[in-house]
Structure formats: structure tokens, C-alpha cells
Amino acid sequence: MKHLRDTIKIAIADSSLMMRLGISAAIKRASDTDVQFVEIENLNEINNKIDTFKPHILIVSSTFGFQMQISDLRNYPDLKKVLLISSLIDPKMVNHYDATINIYDSAEHIHSVIDSLMNYDEEETEVDNEEQLSQREKEIICEVVKGKTNKEIADHLSLSVFTILTHRRNIAKKLQIHSSTALAIYAIANKLVSISEVK
């Protein structure tokens, strides 16, 4: 993940210890960024924990959310609120949150939700077709056109698979290239690889 801040602070609100631990473990597994957590186990702790910890994201389980008035959080306009759906809910409940995740979601999906919340609209700039690729993105393009899998690239560059996927999404967005063939042509034309290296 590429973020404006070095550390992501996440508050997890659920009355169940196992649920709080499970959520934090899934997020740690999906993230290559330093993540700090604070747990909120009852309604009385919310304001104090948010004021003290100053999280970027608050994850609220749907069972906990039934008890909580989301309007109580209006004093925290920059706080991103994520609803963790663990049971059937009133669809109107979702409207009060910036995003949702489900207890059955993959680590990759959780990563993408947090990534989208923390990117601040691609670091508050418009990404256009002319934007320069980073050195890391060029390295990843080379590996892709050489026929390496995401896992092989991640291992080679000592990154997580999720980071590789994020870079690949950013590359596709910057270049507006969505096929391996077109990416190979781009790489050859820009002298990132030779024709003989392309698989």
C-alpha cells in the first residue's frame, strides 16, 4: 500500500474478544504497512478511545453497530467508518458507513477496502496517463512481461502479493493498459525489456 502516513491506526469495535482479534489478524495478514490497533469492547469506551488513539479507520461489527448511533461520531469528520457485516442487517444501516466488509471476505478484499480508504483519492492528486511510473512499478512491469506470477514477483522483490496487486492496479490506471500483450509492447517500446525476455 502507498499511503501519506507511515502508520495506519485502526480501532475495532466489537464486544467479542475473538472477533476483535480475528479482524486485526486478517488486516495484519493483508497489509504490508505498519498497522496499529486499539480495541473497543463496549459503547462507553468509544469516544475516549477515539480521542486518545486518533484512529484513521473505525471498524464496527454489525452486532455492535446496532447499539451505536453513528451520529455520535459526527465530531470525527475525518474518521473513516467501516461496517463489518457478521449477520443479517437492515440495508439502511450500510448508508452510515464509508465502506463495508464481511466476515467471509478474503484478506485481499479487506486489503483493497483499507487501501481505498487510506489512499486519499490517490494521495489527493489526479492520476493521468502521462504520470511517471515509479522505479518499483517499472521493475514489476519487467517481471510481468517475463511471465512471472504475482507470487513469484512478490518473492523476488520481497513484497507481499497484495502489494504487487496494488502496484499492478496503479500501473494499469496510469498507463490505461489492461492486457499482458499491450503491457509487453509498452515495455519493449520504452526499453524496459528486450524482445527476447518477453514470454
Side-chain angles (χ1 to χ4, degrees), residues 156-193:
H156 178 69
L157 298 177
S158 299
L159 298 170
S160 73
V161 172
F162 306 111
T163 299
I164 300 302
L165 291 169
T166 299
H167 279 304
R168 290 191 68 171
R169 282 195 302 269
N170 291 340
I171 291 165
K173 187 170 183 178
K174 287 179 182 182
L175 300 179
Q176 292 299 301
I177 292 176
H178 304 284
S179 76
S180 298
T181 304
L183 191 61
I185 293 168
Y186 172 88
I188 293 165
N190 286 277
K191 298 182 172 46
L192 298 179
V193 295

Side-chain angles (χ1 to χ4, degrees), residues 41-134:
E41 57 184 287
N42 62 62
L43 289 170
N44 298 330
E45 296 180 338
I46 287 185
N47 290 330
N48 184 40
K49 291 275 178 95
I50 292 174
D51 288 337
T52 305
F53 185 66
K54 301 190 183 330
H56 304 115
I57 296 173
L58 170 65
I59 298 176
V60 181
S61 73
S62 52
T63 53
F64 195 93
F66 282 130
Q67 310 163 46
M68 186 179 76
Q69 294 295 319
I70 208 74
S71 59
D72 293 343
L73 300 174
R74 63 179 168 266
N75 294 332
Y76 310 102
D78 297 329
L79 179 65
K80 304 292 186 183
K81 295 169 284 295
V82 178
L83 179 65
L84 171 66
I85 301 171
S86 57
S87 60
L88 290 174
I89 62 166
D90 180 347
K92 293 177 186 172
M93 190 176 183
V94 174
N95 298 334
H96 301 294
Y97 293 84
D98 299 298
T100 62
I101 54 178
N102 190 294
I103 58 169
Y104 300 108
D105 283 340
S106 66
E108 181 181 1
H109 178 74
I110 294 169
H111 171 276
S112 68
V113 169
I114 291 174
D115 191 47
S116 67
L117 290 173
M118 291 301 295
N119 267 334
Y120 303 102
D121 299 323
E122 296 296 325
E123 296 192 20
E124 300 176 349
T125 61
E126 287 294 322
V127 176
D128 60 39
N129 294 344
E130 302 303 316
E131 183 175 358
Q132 294 292 320
L133 293 171
S134 69

